Amino acid sequence: MSEEKDSTKAEYWTDRWKEGNTGWHRQEVNAYLIKYVDELTGGRAKVRVFVPLCGKSVDMLWLAEQGHAVIGVEVAKKAIENFFLENNLSFTVEIVKMAAESEPVDKYKCNEKDITIFCCNLFSVTEDDVGGRFDAIWDRGSLSAVAPAFNDNGKRYTKKMRSLLASDGNYMLESHYYEVDRGTRPPACISEELRNEIYGEDFIIRELEVNRLEEDPNRSLSFALDLHYHLFKPKES
């Protein structure tokens, strides 16, 4: 079964997309993104928004329809192409060289909306590859996918996010907290202690809201869990 594989490896995710085993995907725009979009953008128009490990999230389309420029990164080509297909969008593909990738990668550019998606390893992306730092980062499920409690994954991840965010930018995170032991299986459980440990050095942390979900056998994650929403602002260097 795919769940027995190492979820920190690209093959785990590409296999899940190939199998259609994508229970995290939502057909509707994230309600908390809509609610807190002004916090994310700082109330500014036409900002550059980064969506790490974006999959085929319709949040990207919604952000673009608000007038923002959206750049995503996703390792699974099937997810990217399904995003365009399912939203009736056309695209062009350019093969580009990334600063930290040995092999060229595919850069997908939407023709109708200001949406660009790079098909590559998230940790390979630098500000030079994406035209500079971002005004905003929307992280729904990206941190949860990298097993941040293991090895130095969490700190490595937050350092990468800080390197891509402008000094006056905002970073909004949706994360999970639960009491079940699931090992490295996503979505990762993010405790307050872990969040402070991996974000505290580089970011000012502000809690926005907690959505408490009771146990529900009809949900893909059937156990009780809390969805936490936080806003991070970079600390001054």
Side-chain angles (χ1 to χ4, degrees):
M1 297 293 290
S2 61
E3 286 187 346
E4 297 172 351
K5 299 176 184 177
D6 185 348
S7 62
T8 65
K9 303 295 184 183
E11 292 78 9
Y12 173 89
W13 297 103
T14 55
D15 285 349
R16 287 194 65 166
W17 280 104
K18 288 175 183 175
E19 296 162 2
N21 184 12
T22 56
W24 63 85
H25 176 70
R26 297 291 176 265
Q27 299 290 348
E28 64 282 345
V29 179
N30 186 283
Y32 292 87
L33 170 61
I34 296 173
K35 182 175 182 178
Y36 291 109
V37 68
D38 285 343
E39 305 279 356
L40 176 64
T41 63
R44 295 174 290 182
K46 299 182 179 179
V47 303
R48 298 179 71 241
V49 184
F50 182 50
V51 184
L53 304 186
C54 59
K56 59 177 183 178
S57 173
V58 293
D59 295 349
M60 294 188 288
L61 181 58
W62 184 81
L63 285 163
E65 288 173 343
Q66 309 312 302
H68 305 302
V70 179
I71 295 182
V73 169
E74 171 57 49
V75 72
K77 182 174 293 189
K78 184 175 182 64
I80 299 172
E81 295 183 350
N82 281 353
F83 168 76
F84 290 105
L85 176 65
E86 293 172 12
N87 291 293
N88 298 311
L89 299 169
S90 62
F91 61 89
T92 57
V93 181
E94 179 185 359
I95 299 174
V96 298
K97 183 70 176 70
M98 308 287 276
E101 281 275 9
S102 57
E103 298 294 329
V105 306
D106 290 339
K107 175 183 176 181
Y108 290 75
K109 179 68 176 174
C110 181
N111 293 322
E112 294 86 2
K113 306 289 183 180
D114 197 349
I115 302 172
T116 303
I117 306 176
F118 290 84
C119 186
C120 66
N121 184 327
L122 171 64
F123 290 103
S124 298
V125 178
T126 70
E127 61 176 301
D128 292 335
D129 298 317
V130 293
R133 296 194 178 195
F134 295 97
D135 305 302
I137 297 174
W138 166 229
D139 186 338
R140 183 207 164 259
S142 182
L143 174 68
S144 298
V146 301
F150 293 84
N151 300 321
D152 65 343
N153 291 2
K155 198 63 180 175
R156 182 180 175 219
Y157 181 90
T158 57
K159 288 291 185 184
K160 174 56 65 175
M161 294 300 106
R162 179 63 189 92
S163 74
L164 294 171
L165 186 63
S167 59
D168 61 346
N170 298 302
Y171 170 2
M172 184 174 162
L173 171 72
E174 177 187 273
S175 63
H176 300 71
Y177 179 76
Y178 48 81
E179 302 290 345
V180 181
D181 183 3
R182 305 179 72 246
T184 61
R185 285 186 296 167
C189 176
I190 311 296
S191 66
E192 181 179 5
E193 180 182 21
L194 177 59
R195 185 167 49 249
N196 290 341
E197 177 187 338
I198 63 177
Y199 283 100
E201 181 179 350
D202 294 314
F203 294 95
I204 299 167
I205 304 171
R206 175 186 162 201
E207 183 177 272
L208 296 174
E209 191 164 341
V210 180
N211 181 18
R212 305 188 187 281
L213 302 179
E214 300 302 328
E215 184 175 349
D216 182 352
N218 297 316
R219 202 173 56 229
S220 58
L221 297 176
S222 60
F223 45 86
L225 60 89
D226 294 341
L227 290 174
H228 288 255
Y229 297 88
H230 285 82
L231 191 74
F232 306 117
K233 296 187 74 70
K235 290 183 177 179
E236 294 184 6
S237 303

